[in-house]
Amino acid sequence: MDVLLSAFDILFRWDVLFALLIGSIGGVLIGAIPGVGAAVAIAILLPATFSLEPIVGLTLLLGIYGSSMYGGSIPAILINTPGTAVNALTTYDGYPMTQQGEGRRALSLAYSASFFGGILSVICLMLFAPVLAKVAPYFGSREVFMAALLGIVLVVFAHRGQTLATGMLACFGIFINSIGLEPIAYTKRYTFEQSWLSSGIDLIVVVLGLFALSQAFLLLVEKNNSPKATPLKGGLFQGLKELWVYKRVASVSASFGILMGMIPGVGEFTAQFMSYTYAQKNSKTPELFGKGSPEGLVASEAANNAVPAAAMIPLLALGIPGEALTAMMLSVFYVHNVIPGPQLFLNEMDFVMALYIALLLLNGMVLIFLMFSTNFILKIIQIPTRFLGVVILTLSFVGVYSLRNSITDCAVAAGFGVFGLILKRLNLPIVAIILGMVLGGIMEVKLRSSMARVTTPLDFIDRPISAAIFGIIVLVIVLHTRSVIKEYCGHK
Amino acid sequence: MFKLKPMQILFKRDRRTGDFVFAVIFLLFSILLLSQLNEQVHWSKRGKFIAQPGFWPAVSLTGMTFFAFFHLIGSILSERIYGRIKEIGLWLRSLEYAGWFLLYVWLVPQVGYLPMTLIFMPLLLFRLGYRDLKMFGLASFIGFLIVLVFKTFLEVKIPGGELYEYLPGSIRSFMILNF
């Protein structure tokens, strides 16, 4: 109870609530504009939040992270263009519903399912937090190292059909992180006698290049597009009642979202795929899936919106980000000397709770905002993509230049921007580079700090948690190899 | 005898135009970096291998080369997708906008954040083919808002322009501080 009161004390300040409100509304608008997305917005805003208090900066970014998927469902349903990548599955049933004249119903159901997924996820996490606080101290250097390694392995194998490319890019991320002065003997690594490489390549510069600048370049070089959407008539409250009909699908999908969100490197896509498959298999009308099934829509939206809160678990409890957005948030923690991990759960449980309550509040704020402003958002969706590219390019400058006022940083970011554009055009996973950088750094530090207690490689897995994580790593590799061989034999 | 079809199945993956070119360049890049390992990292005579400063670059570059090699094999074995030159042309076109960005970055400390943003956004729109005054006005307004939010309110670290030095006293400090 004391923890809760203290959490309320942290959260209920005008600056924190204002940041949450701005983040939530901004996140919806950003998510609704195809071609922007939360990653671009968070990358741009990241350096600006460094001057704010940790809780203010984090609630602002959390607001964007937690609400962008709500906004992304609007163009997915009304114009068959997902606002964010994770809303792609929403188009399968959302857009056919619009074509059948049920756009209002589809949006209303999507908002309600998203709200349900988001709220259920946060409630589960709040109940789960005391358990995490008890387990977290058992994670020493070896366990965190193993968890980071598991994160890398999962990222690589979660990208089916792109496993080799993801492995390549994850290793590239680990390599980028190793450039510059190494932290123990201070010898130079891959600096090529260039002074600007001595301090290494900053994660924020890479993030801004790969996410924001690459998106700006992509919008500027591709054909101009200005989506058209017809305004909606009538209220959007009916979905709240109708969701009751699909309560089973919504609950199972949200549970998939929570589970998958907690596993580093897996995230929304797997959660959506599993919930959509579940919903179709258990539906009385499976033939409607992909042609305007409300159940399919609910499954997709409830699952993806349950992920953000769950993704905070490995980040807060172990300091291990599961995907690009939480990796960016990790840098905000580090800048403010708040180190996520077991100690945070032990010593600053009220801070963790405050973040959870913020997530709970933002879901409410977003739902209310959406119920009354969907038609206004429709106008924003129609911004021409090239115009948007100019705005993102201008905003990216703030992000990169304000870090250290360095033109070199901007040139490096521009280089990564072009590289990111190529990766986006080839549909290769950019996130693998960011996770490689972050998890590679964690692995290096934890490997070093655990060496005093490790004489043989077997010592790494002589404790139950590290042994269990190692077992999971082996299992993931074996299962993936088995599925590749099975597929190969099946086609031969 | 070498059978192509089973190998294609084994290396089956999502591909797009330009994949082969990227795979070749990335493999060459990885090999080049790996070949520099002994020159670019320090190997101390004492201590475990995993504690060496060169351990992580070695692991990551070996991994990069390994995956890049099989990525290229997969690309070679896959059916050709036409339009490679056009795709590379698009990649290269992005360099122009990288140039625009760097020019903007270079000019801001000289001209000043607000004036440069008010010039840059409409100018880039003009380059993109816009001729509508309304769009130029909107771009300038958004540019002004960006400066107002980030520099004036959030006080992000962006230096005042050198041109501000020519402004009269009180206006100069106001401009340096806020715009």
Side-chain angles (χ1 to χ4, degrees), chain A residues 161 168 188-190 192 221 398 401 405 425 451 454 487-488, chain B residues 6 12-14 16 33 37 40 48 51 53 61 87 93 113 157:
Chain A
M168 182 173 92
K188 288 177 182 174
R189 298 190 294 200
Y190 279 89
F192 297 97
V221 294
V398 189
Y401 196 71
N405 288 171
R425 291 284 303 174
M451 271 190 344
V454 171
E487 202 176 332
Y488 173 66
Chain B
K12 193 184 81 176
R13 59 202 174 79
D14 305 328
R16 288 198 183 168
L33 287 174
L37 189 65
Q40 291 300 325
K48 295 174 190 169
L61 289 172
E87 179 63 22
R93 276 215 314 276
Y113 187 30
K157 281 191 301 171

PDB file of all heavy atoms in Angstrom, chain A residues 161 168 188-190 192 221 398 401 405 425 451 454 487-488, chain B residues 6 12-14 16 33 37 40 48 51 53 61 87 93 113 157:
ATOM      1  N   GLY A 161      12.320 -16.527 -42.261  1.00  0.00           N
ATOM      2  CA  GLY A 161      12.486 -16.101 -43.647  1.00  0.00           C
ATOM      3  C   GLY A 161      13.556 -15.025 -43.778  1.00  0.00           C
ATOM      4  O   GLY A 161      13.917 -14.641 -44.875  1.00  0.00           O
ATOM      5  N   MET A 168      23.082 -11.423 -39.293  1.00  0.00           N
ATOM      6  CA  MET A 168      24.115 -10.548 -39.839  1.00  0.00           C
ATOM      7  C   MET A 168      23.999  -9.132 -39.246  1.00  0.00           C
ATOM      8  O   MET A 168      24.988  -8.539 -38.821  1.00  0.00           O
ATOM      9  CB  MET A 168      23.854 -10.526 -41.347  1.00  0.00           C
ATOM     10  CG  MET A 168      24.729  -9.782 -42.222  1.00  0.00           C
ATOM     11  SD  MET A 168      24.197 -10.202 -43.918  1.00  0.00           S
ATOM     12  CE  MET A 168      23.013  -8.913 -44.259  1.00  0.00           C
ATOM     13  N   LYS A 188      42.164   1.117 -28.027  1.00  0.00           N
ATOM     14  CA  LYS A 188      41.224   1.504 -29.092  1.00  0.00           C
ATOM     15  C   LYS A 188      40.788   0.283 -29.898  1.00  0.00           C
ATOM     16  O   LYS A 188      41.606  -0.616 -30.141  1.00  0.00           O
ATOM     17  CB  LYS A 188      41.873   2.525 -30.018  1.00  0.00           C
ATOM     18  CG  LYS A 188      42.022   3.883 -29.380  1.00  0.00           C
ATOM     19  CD  LYS A 188      42.736   4.826 -30.314  1.00  0.00           C
ATOM     20  CE  LYS A 188      42.915   6.181 -29.636  1.00  0.00           C
ATOM     21  NZ  LYS A 188      43.731   7.079 -30.461  1.00  0.00           N
ATOM     22  N   ARG A 189      39.532   0.289 -30.307  1.00  0.00           N
ATOM     23  CA  ARG A 189      39.037  -0.804 -31.146  1.00  0.00           C
ATOM     24  C   ARG A 189      38.393  -0.204 -32.400  1.00  0.00           C
ATOM     25  O   ARG A 189      37.459   0.581 -32.300  1.00  0.00           O
ATOM     26  CB  ARG A 189      37.984  -1.626 -30.379  1.00  0.00           C
ATOM     27  CG  ARG A 189      38.544  -2.293 -29.138  1.00  0.00           C
ATOM     28  CD  ARG A 189      37.599  -3.284 -28.525  1.00  0.00           C
ATOM     29  NE  ARG A 189      36.396  -2.713 -27.977  1.00  0.00           N
ATOM     30  CZ  ARG A 189      35.628  -3.326 -27.079  1.00  0.00           C
ATOM     31  NH1 ARG A 189      35.943  -4.534 -26.649  1.00  0.00           N
ATOM     32  NH2 ARG A 189      34.540  -2.761 -26.622  1.00  0.00           N
ATOM     33  N   TYR A 190      38.917  -0.590 -33.522  1.00  0.00           N
ATOM     34  CA  TYR A 190      38.362  -0.182 -34.815  1.00  0.00           C
ATOM     35  C   TYR A 190      38.121   1.329 -34.925  1.00  0.00           C
ATOM     36  O   TYR A 190      37.064   1.772 -35.346  1.00  0.00           O
ATOM     37  CB  TYR A 190      37.091  -0.967 -35.122  1.00  0.00           C
ATOM     38  CG  TYR A 190      37.409  -2.327 -35.673  1.00  0.00           C
ATOM     39  CD1 TYR A 190      37.586  -3.413 -34.824  1.00  0.00           C
ATOM     40  CD2 TYR A 190      37.594  -2.526 -37.026  1.00  0.00           C
ATOM     41  CE1 TYR A 190      37.934  -4.665 -35.308  1.00  0.00           C
ATOM     42  CE2 TYR A 190      37.942  -3.773 -37.528  1.00  0.00           C
ATOM     43  CZ  TYR A 190      38.103  -4.833 -36.670  1.00  0.00           C
ATOM     44  OH  TYR A 190      38.451  -6.060 -37.183  1.00  0.00           O
ATOM     45  N   PHE A 192      40.499   3.226 -36.558  1.00  0.00           N
ATOM     46  CA  PHE A 192      41.211   3.597 -37.789  1.00  0.00           C
ATOM     47  C   PHE A 192      41.928   4.937 -37.642  1.00  0.00           C
ATOM     48  O   PHE A 192      41.928   5.753 -38.556  1.00  0.00           O
ATOM     49  CB  PHE A 192      40.245   3.626 -38.994  1.00  0.00           C
ATOM     50  CG  PHE A 192      39.644   2.287 -39.306  1.00  0.00           C
ATOM     51  CD1 PHE A 192      38.377   1.949 -38.839  1.00  0.00           C
ATOM     52  CD2 PHE A 192      40.348   1.354 -40.057  1.00  0.00           C
ATOM     53  CE1 PHE A 192      37.822   0.704 -39.108  1.00  0.00           C
ATOM     54  CE2 PHE A 192      39.791   0.109 -40.324  1.00  0.00           C
ATOM     55  CZ  PHE A 192      38.524  -0.216 -39.855  1.00  0.00           C
ATOM     56  N   VAL A 221      12.127  10.117 -51.376  1.00  0.00           N
ATOM     57  CA  VAL A 221      12.484   9.540 -52.677  1.00  0.00           C
ATOM     58  C   VAL A 221      11.337   8.745 -53.313  1.00  0.00           C
ATOM     59  O   VAL A 221      11.318   8.562 -54.531  1.00  0.00           O
ATOM     60  CB  VAL A 221      13.751   8.634 -52.619  1.00  0.00           C
ATOM     61  CG1 VAL A 221      14.980   9.429 -52.287  1.00  0.00           C
ATOM     62  CG2 VAL A 221      13.569   7.480 -51.654  1.00  0.00           C
ATOM     63  N   VAL A 398      17.023  18.249 -34.760  1.00  0.00           N
ATOM     64  CA  VAL A 398      16.972  18.560 -33.324  1.00  0.00           C
ATOM     65  C   VAL A 398      17.531  17.373 -32.545  1.00  0.00           C
ATOM     66  O   VAL A 398      18.353  17.525 -31.642  1.00  0.00           O
ATOM     67  CB  VAL A 398      15.520  18.810 -32.852  1.00  0.00           C
ATOM     68  CG1 VAL A 398      15.496  19.334 -31.438  1.00  0.00           C
ATOM     69  CG2 VAL A 398      14.777  19.716 -33.780  1.00  0.00           C
ATOM     70  N   TYR A 401      21.563  16.842 -33.525  1.00  0.00           N
ATOM     71  CA  TYR A 401      22.469  17.971 -33.259  1.00  0.00           C
ATOM     72  C   TYR A 401      22.473  18.380 -31.787  1.00  0.00           C
ATOM     73  O   TYR A 401      23.502  18.780 -31.254  1.00  0.00           O
ATOM     74  CB  TYR A 401      22.090  19.160 -34.146  1.00  0.00           C
ATOM     75  CG  TYR A 401      23.162  20.215 -34.224  1.00  0.00           C
ATOM     76  CD1 TYR A 401      24.345  19.978 -34.918  1.00  0.00           C
ATOM     77  CD2 TYR A 401      23.002  21.444 -33.603  1.00  0.00           C
ATOM     78  CE1 TYR A 401      25.338  20.934 -34.983  1.00  0.00           C
ATOM     79  CE2 TYR A 401      23.986  22.417 -33.666  1.00  0.00           C
ATOM     80  CZ  TYR A 401      25.159  22.160 -34.360  1.00  0.00           C
ATOM     81  OH  TYR A 401      26.142  23.111 -34.426  1.00  0.00           O
ATOM     82  N   ASN A 405      26.042  18.897 -30.283  1.00  0.00           N
ATOM     83  CA  ASN A 405      26.305  19.967 -31.264  1.00  0.00           C
ATOM     84  C   ASN A 405      27.407  19.555 -32.244  1.00  0.00           C
ATOM     85  O   ASN A 405      28.298  20.345 -32.579  1.00  0.00           O
ATOM     86  CB  ASN A 405      26.703  21.264 -30.568  1.00  0.00           C
ATOM     87  CG  ASN A 405      25.537  21.937 -29.856  1.00  0.00           C
ATOM     88  OD1 ASN A 405      25.710  22.872 -29.124  1.00  0.00           O
ATOM     89  ND2 ASN A 405      24.325  21.461 -30.064  1.00  0.00           N
ATOM     90  N   ARG A 425      13.899  -0.742 -47.720  1.00  0.00           N
ATOM     91  CA  ARG A 425      13.504  -1.126 -49.082  1.00  0.00           C
ATOM     92  C   ARG A 425      13.624  -2.634 -49.278  1.00  0.00           C
ATOM     93  O   ARG A 425      12.840  -3.243 -49.981  1.00  0.00           O
ATOM     94  CB  ARG A 425      14.399  -0.420 -50.113  1.00  0.00           C
ATOM     95  CG  ARG A 425      14.187   1.073 -50.211  1.00  0.00           C
ATOM     96  CD  ARG A 425      12.945   1.470 -50.940  1.00  0.00           C
ATOM     97  NE  ARG A 425      12.876   0.942 -52.283  1.00  0.00           N
ATOM     98  CZ  ARG A 425      11.817   1.063 -53.080  1.00  0.00           C
ATOM     99  NH1 ARG A 425      10.743   1.703 -52.653  1.00  0.00           N
ATOM    100  NH2 ARG A 425      11.812   0.555 -54.292  1.00  0.00           N
ATOM    101  N   MET A 451      33.420 -12.874 -14.694  1.00  0.00           N
ATOM    102  CA  MET A 451      34.605 -13.703 -14.912  1.00  0.00           C
ATOM    103  C   MET A 451      35.327 -14.092 -13.631  1.00  0.00           C
ATOM    104  O   MET A 451      35.973 -15.133 -13.582  1.00  0.00           O
ATOM    105  CB  MET A 451      35.559 -12.981 -15.849  1.00  0.00           C
ATOM    106  CG  MET A 451      35.214 -13.353 -17.267  1.00  0.00           C
ATOM    107  SD  MET A 451      36.350 -12.842 -18.481  1.00  0.00           S
ATOM    108  CE  MET A 451      37.337 -11.675 -17.747  1.00  0.00           C
ATOM    109  N   VAL A 454      33.961 -17.318 -12.706  1.00  0.00           N
ATOM    110  CA  VAL A 454      33.869 -18.324 -13.764  1.00  0.00           C
ATOM    111  C   VAL A 454      35.268 -18.807 -14.150  1.00  0.00           C
ATOM    112  O   VAL A 454      36.122 -18.002 -14.500  1.00  0.00           O
ATOM    113  CB  VAL A 454      33.165 -17.720 -15.007  1.00  0.00           C
ATOM    114  CG1 VAL A 454      33.256 -18.668 -16.184  1.00  0.00           C
ATOM    115  CG2 VAL A 454      31.712 -17.413 -14.696  1.00  0.00           C
ATOM    116  N   GLU A 487      10.868 -28.584 -43.162  1.00  0.00           N
ATOM    117  CA  GLU A 487      10.367 -27.887 -44.351  1.00  0.00           C
ATOM    118  C   GLU A 487      11.136 -28.331 -45.596  1.00  0.00           C
ATOM    119  O   GLU A 487      10.572 -28.578 -46.654  1.00  0.00           O
ATOM    120  CB  GLU A 487      10.541 -26.378 -44.147  1.00  0.00           C
ATOM    121  CG  GLU A 487       9.623 -25.542 -45.009  1.00  0.00           C
ATOM    122  CD  GLU A 487       9.773 -24.060 -44.704  1.00  0.00           C
ATOM    123  OE1 GLU A 487      10.136 -23.710 -43.562  1.00  0.00           O
ATOM    124  OE2 GLU A 487       9.550 -23.267 -45.608  1.00  0.00           O
ATOM    125  N   TYR A 488      12.452 -28.461 -45.409  1.00  0.00           N
ATOM    126  CA  TYR A 488      13.334 -28.883 -46.508  1.00  0.00           C
ATOM    127  C   TYR A 488      12.956 -30.290 -46.975  1.00  0.00           C
ATOM    128  O   TYR A 488      12.791 -30.542 -48.174  1.00  0.00           O
ATOM    129  CB  TYR A 488      14.778 -28.838 -45.998  1.00  0.00           C
ATOM    130  CG  TYR A 488      15.812 -29.387 -46.943  1.00  0.00           C
ATOM    131  CD1 TYR A 488      16.072 -28.752 -48.147  1.00  0.00           C
ATOM    132  CD2 TYR A 488      16.552 -30.524 -46.617  1.00  0.00           C
ATOM    133  CE1 TYR A 488      17.037 -29.238 -49.006  1.00  0.00           C
ATOM    134  CE2 TYR A 488      17.518 -31.021 -47.466  1.00  0.00           C
ATOM    135  CZ  TYR A 488      17.754 -30.382 -48.667  1.00  0.00           C
ATOM    136  OH  TYR A 488      18.716 -30.864 -49.517  1.00  0.00           O
TER     137      TYR A 488
ATOM    138  N   PRO B   6      16.453 -28.189 -54.256  1.00  0.00           N
ATOM    139  CA  PRO B   6      16.483 -28.399 -52.804  1.00  0.00           C
ATOM    140  C   PRO B   6      17.248 -27.301 -52.078  1.00  0.00           C
ATOM    141  O   PRO B   6      16.872 -26.894 -50.984  1.00  0.00           O
ATOM    142  CB  PRO B   6      17.203 -29.742 -52.650  1.00  0.00           C
ATOM    143  CG  PRO B   6      17.079 -30.417 -53.947  1.00  0.00           C
ATOM    144  CD  PRO B   6      17.007 -29.341 -54.975  1.00  0.00           C
ATOM    145  N   LYS B  12      15.305 -20.609 -48.654  1.00  0.00           N
ATOM    146  CA  LYS B  12      14.119 -19.817 -49.010  1.00  0.00           C
ATOM    147  C   LYS B  12      13.928 -18.656 -48.017  1.00  0.00           C
ATOM    148  O   LYS B  12      14.037 -18.844 -46.821  1.00  0.00           O
ATOM    149  CB  LYS B  12      12.879 -20.716 -48.983  1.00  0.00           C
ATOM    150  CG  LYS B  12      11.668 -20.094 -49.631  1.00  0.00           C
ATOM    151  CD  LYS B  12      10.488 -20.998 -49.484  1.00  0.00           C
ATOM    152  CE  LYS B  12       9.869 -20.825 -48.111  1.00  0.00           C
ATOM    153  NZ  LYS B  12       8.666 -21.578 -47.893  1.00  0.00           N
ATOM    154  N   ARG B  13      13.682 -17.466 -48.513  1.00  0.00           N
ATOM    155  CA  ARG B  13      13.461 -16.322 -47.623  1.00  0.00           C
ATOM    156  C   ARG B  13      12.754 -15.208 -48.377  1.00  0.00           C
ATOM    157  O   ARG B  13      12.597 -15.280 -49.595  1.00  0.00           O
ATOM    158  CB  ARG B  13      14.794 -15.821 -47.066  1.00  0.00           C
ATOM    159  CG  ARG B  13      15.749 -15.414 -48.125  1.00  0.00           C
ATOM    160  CD  ARG B  13      17.161 -15.435 -47.621  1.00  0.00           C
ATOM    161  NE  ARG B  13      18.074 -15.174 -48.703  1.00  0.00           N
ATOM    162  CZ  ARG B  13      18.333 -13.985 -49.180  1.00  0.00           C
ATOM    163  NH1 ARG B  13      17.755 -12.936 -48.666  1.00  0.00           N
ATOM    164  NH2 ARG B  13      19.169 -13.830 -50.164  1.00  0.00           N
ATOM    165  N   ASP B  14      12.354 -14.191 -47.595  1.00  0.00           N
ATOM    166  CA  ASP B  14      11.679 -13.052 -48.222  1.00  0.00           C
ATOM    167  C   ASP B  14      12.736 -12.213 -48.933  1.00  0.00           C
ATOM    168  O   ASP B  14      13.729 -11.840 -48.323  1.00  0.00           O
ATOM    169  CB  ASP B  14      11.008 -12.183 -47.155  1.00  0.00           C
ATOM    170  CG  ASP B  14      10.066 -13.009 -46.300  1.00  0.00           C
ATOM    171  OD1 ASP B  14       9.496 -13.956 -46.849  1.00  0.00           O
ATOM    172  OD2 ASP B  14       9.921 -12.711 -45.103  1.00  0.00           O
ATOM    173  N   ARG B  16      13.648  -8.993 -51.915  1.00  0.00           N
ATOM    174  CA  ARG B  16      13.192  -7.868 -52.750  1.00  0.00           C
ATOM    175  C   ARG B  16      14.304  -7.493 -53.716  1.00  0.00           C
ATOM    176  O   ARG B  16      15.458  -7.899 -53.521  1.00  0.00           O
ATOM    177  CB  ARG B  16      12.834  -6.669 -51.868  1.00  0.00           C
ATOM    178  CG  ARG B  16      11.552  -6.901 -51.087  1.00  0.00           C
ATOM    179  CD  ARG B  16      11.001  -5.602 -50.600  1.00  0.00           C
ATOM    180  NE  ARG B  16       9.810  -5.824 -49.789  1.00  0.00           N
ATOM    181  CZ  ARG B  16       9.261  -4.896 -49.053  1.00  0.00           C
ATOM    182  NH1 ARG B  16       9.776  -3.689 -49.010  1.00  0.00           N
ATOM    183  NH2 ARG B  16       8.174  -5.143 -48.346  1.00  0.00           N
ATOM    184  N   LEU B  33      36.479  -5.721 -42.716  1.00  0.00           N
ATOM    185  CA  LEU B  33      36.610  -5.404 -41.292  1.00  0.00           C
ATOM    186  C   LEU B  33      37.310  -6.541 -40.550  1.00  0.00           C
ATOM    187  O   LEU B  33      38.176  -6.302 -39.709  1.00  0.00           O
ATOM    188  CB  LEU B  33      35.228  -5.151 -40.672  1.00  0.00           C
ATOM    189  CG  LEU B  33      34.546  -3.838 -41.044  1.00  0.00           C
ATOM    190  CD1 LEU B  33      33.137  -3.785 -40.489  1.00  0.00           C
ATOM    191  CD2 LEU B  33      35.337  -2.646 -40.509  1.00  0.00           C
ATOM    192  N   LEU B  37      41.298  -7.108 -38.107  1.00  0.00           N
ATOM    193  CA  LEU B  37      41.156  -7.433 -36.677  1.00  0.00           C
ATOM    194  C   LEU B  37      42.466  -7.253 -35.895  1.00  0.00           C
ATOM    195  O   LEU B  37      42.478  -6.609 -34.851  1.00  0.00           O
ATOM    196  CB  LEU B  37      40.620  -8.862 -36.525  1.00  0.00           C
ATOM    197  CG  LEU B  37      40.210  -9.259 -35.112  1.00  0.00           C
ATOM    198  CD1 LEU B  37      39.032  -8.443 -34.625  1.00  0.00           C
ATOM    199  CD2 LEU B  37      39.847 -10.742 -35.060  1.00  0.00           C
ATOM    200  N   GLN B  40      43.446  -3.479 -35.690  1.00  0.00           N
ATOM    201  CA  GLN B  40      42.523  -2.530 -35.066  1.00  0.00           C
ATOM    202  C   GLN B  40      42.155  -2.845 -33.612  1.00  0.00           C
ATOM    203  O   GLN B  40      41.442  -2.082 -32.987  1.00  0.00           O
ATOM    204  CB  GLN B  40      41.238  -2.436 -35.900  1.00  0.00           C
ATOM    205  CG  GLN B  40      41.438  -1.773 -37.245  1.00  0.00           C
ATOM    206  CD  GLN B  40      41.954  -0.349 -37.143  1.00  0.00           C
ATOM    207  OE1 GLN B  40      41.600   0.381 -36.231  1.00  0.00           O
ATOM    208  NE2 GLN B  40      42.807   0.043 -38.073  1.00  0.00           N
ATOM    209  N   LYS B  48      42.395 -14.264 -20.044  1.00  0.00           N
ATOM    210  CA  LYS B  48      41.579 -15.213 -20.813  1.00  0.00           C
ATOM    211  C   LYS B  48      41.186 -14.604 -22.158  1.00  0.00           C
ATOM    212  O   LYS B  48      41.115 -13.378 -22.282  1.00  0.00           O
ATOM    213  CB  LYS B  48      40.303 -15.530 -20.025  1.00  0.00           C
ATOM    214  CG  LYS B  48      40.533 -16.258 -18.728  1.00  0.00           C
ATOM    215  CD  LYS B  48      39.201 -16.371 -17.998  1.00  0.00           C
ATOM    216  CE  LYS B  48      39.381 -16.868 -16.580  1.00  0.00           C
ATOM    217  NZ  LYS B  48      38.189 -16.760 -15.775  1.00  0.00           N
ATOM    218  N   ALA B  51      38.350 -12.253 -22.059  1.00  0.00           N
ATOM    219  CA  ALA B  51      38.599 -10.954 -21.411  1.00  0.00           C
ATOM    220  C   ALA B  51      39.412 -10.022 -22.300  1.00  0.00           C
ATOM    221  O   ALA B  51      39.668  -8.878 -21.943  1.00  0.00           O
ATOM    222  CB  ALA B  51      39.332 -11.179 -20.099  1.00  0.00           C
ATOM    223  N   PRO B  53      40.434  -7.367 -25.136  1.00  0.00           N
ATOM    224  CA  PRO B  53      39.691  -6.250 -25.748  1.00  0.00           C
ATOM    225  C   PRO B  53      39.143  -6.604 -27.138  1.00  0.00           C
ATOM    226  O   PRO B  53      38.144  -6.064 -27.569  1.00  0.00           O
ATOM    227  CB  PRO B  53      40.734  -5.145 -25.861  1.00  0.00           C
ATOM    228  CG  PRO B  53      41.794  -5.498 -24.897  1.00  0.00           C
ATOM    229  CD  PRO B  53      41.809  -6.983 -24.772  1.00  0.00           C
ATOM    230  N   LEU B  61      32.395  -9.779 -35.716  1.00  0.00           N
ATOM    231  CA  LEU B  61      32.787  -9.774 -37.130  1.00  0.00           C
ATOM    232  C   LEU B  61      32.782 -11.174 -37.736  1.00  0.00           C
ATOM    233  O   LEU B  61      32.430 -11.343 -38.907  1.00  0.00           O
ATOM    234  CB  LEU B  61      34.168  -9.119 -37.297  1.00  0.00           C
ATOM    235  CG  LEU B  61      34.160  -7.604 -37.073  1.00  0.00           C
ATOM    236  CD1 LEU B  61      35.570  -7.051 -37.055  1.00  0.00           C
ATOM    237  CD2 LEU B  61      33.345  -6.905 -38.161  1.00  0.00           C
ATOM    238  N   GLU B  87      16.396   0.084 -58.577  1.00  0.00           N
ATOM    239  CA  GLU B  87      16.389   0.089 -57.117  1.00  0.00           C
ATOM    240  C   GLU B  87      17.639   0.775 -56.578  1.00  0.00           C
ATOM    241  O   GLU B  87      17.559   1.602 -55.664  1.00  0.00           O
ATOM    242  CB  GLU B  87      16.290  -1.360 -56.611  1.00  0.00           C
ATOM    243  CG  GLU B  87      16.292  -1.512 -55.097  1.00  0.00           C
ATOM    244  CD  GLU B  87      15.098  -0.861 -54.414  1.00  0.00           C
ATOM    245  OE1 GLU B  87      14.068  -0.659 -55.079  1.00  0.00           O
ATOM    246  OE2 GLU B  87      15.216  -0.532 -53.218  1.00  0.00           O
ATOM    247  N   ARG B  93      19.568   8.043 -54.885  1.00  0.00           N
ATOM    248  CA  ARG B  93      18.824   9.318 -54.841  1.00  0.00           C
ATOM    249  C   ARG B  93      18.705   9.839 -53.410  1.00  0.00           C
ATOM    250  O   ARG B  93      18.619  11.044 -53.178  1.00  0.00           O
ATOM    251  CB  ARG B  93      17.429   9.124 -55.451  1.00  0.00           C
ATOM    252  CG  ARG B  93      17.408   9.248 -56.954  1.00  0.00           C
ATOM    253  CD  ARG B  93      16.129   9.900 -57.478  1.00  0.00           C
ATOM    254  NE  ARG B  93      14.905   9.401 -56.922  1.00  0.00           N
ATOM    255  CZ  ARG B  93      14.244   8.321 -57.349  1.00  0.00           C
ATOM    256  NH1 ARG B  93      14.761   7.585 -58.331  1.00  0.00           N
ATOM    257  NH2 ARG B  93      13.107   7.956 -56.819  1.00  0.00           N
ATOM    258  N   TYR B 113      19.035  29.079 -35.947  1.00  0.00           N
ATOM    259  CA  TYR B 113      18.093  27.961 -36.059  1.00  0.00           C
ATOM    260  C   TYR B 113      16.770  28.382 -36.704  1.00  0.00           C
ATOM    261  O   TYR B 113      16.309  27.754 -37.669  1.00  0.00           O
ATOM    262  CB  TYR B 113      17.875  27.374 -34.655  1.00  0.00           C
ATOM    263  CG  TYR B 113      17.061  26.100 -34.617  1.00  0.00           C
ATOM    264  CD1 TYR B 113      17.068  25.195 -35.684  1.00  0.00           C
ATOM    265  CD2 TYR B 113      16.298  25.782 -33.503  1.00  0.00           C
ATOM    266  CE1 TYR B 113      16.334  24.025 -35.638  1.00  0.00           C
ATOM    267  CE2 TYR B 113      15.562  24.610 -33.439  1.00  0.00           C
ATOM    268  CZ  TYR B 113      15.582  23.737 -34.521  1.00  0.00           C
ATOM    269  OH  TYR B 113      14.843  22.593 -34.472  1.00  0.00           O
ATOM    270  N   LYS B 157      19.898  21.955 -26.654  1.00  0.00           N
ATOM    271  CA  LYS B 157      21.189  22.631 -26.892  1.00  0.00           C
ATOM    272  C   LYS B 157      21.421  22.873 -28.379  1.00  0.00           C
ATOM    273  O   LYS B 157      21.973  22.033 -29.075  1.00  0.00           O
ATOM    274  CB  LYS B 157      22.319  21.751 -26.367  1.00  0.00           C
ATOM    275  CG  LYS B 157      22.527  21.796 -24.864  1.00  0.00           C
ATOM    276  CD  LYS B 157      23.832  21.105 -24.505  1.00  0.00           C
ATOM    277  CE  LYS B 157      23.824  19.666 -24.977  1.00  0.00           C
ATOM    278  NZ  LYS B 157      25.067  18.957 -24.875  1.00  0.00           N
TER     279      LYS B 157
END
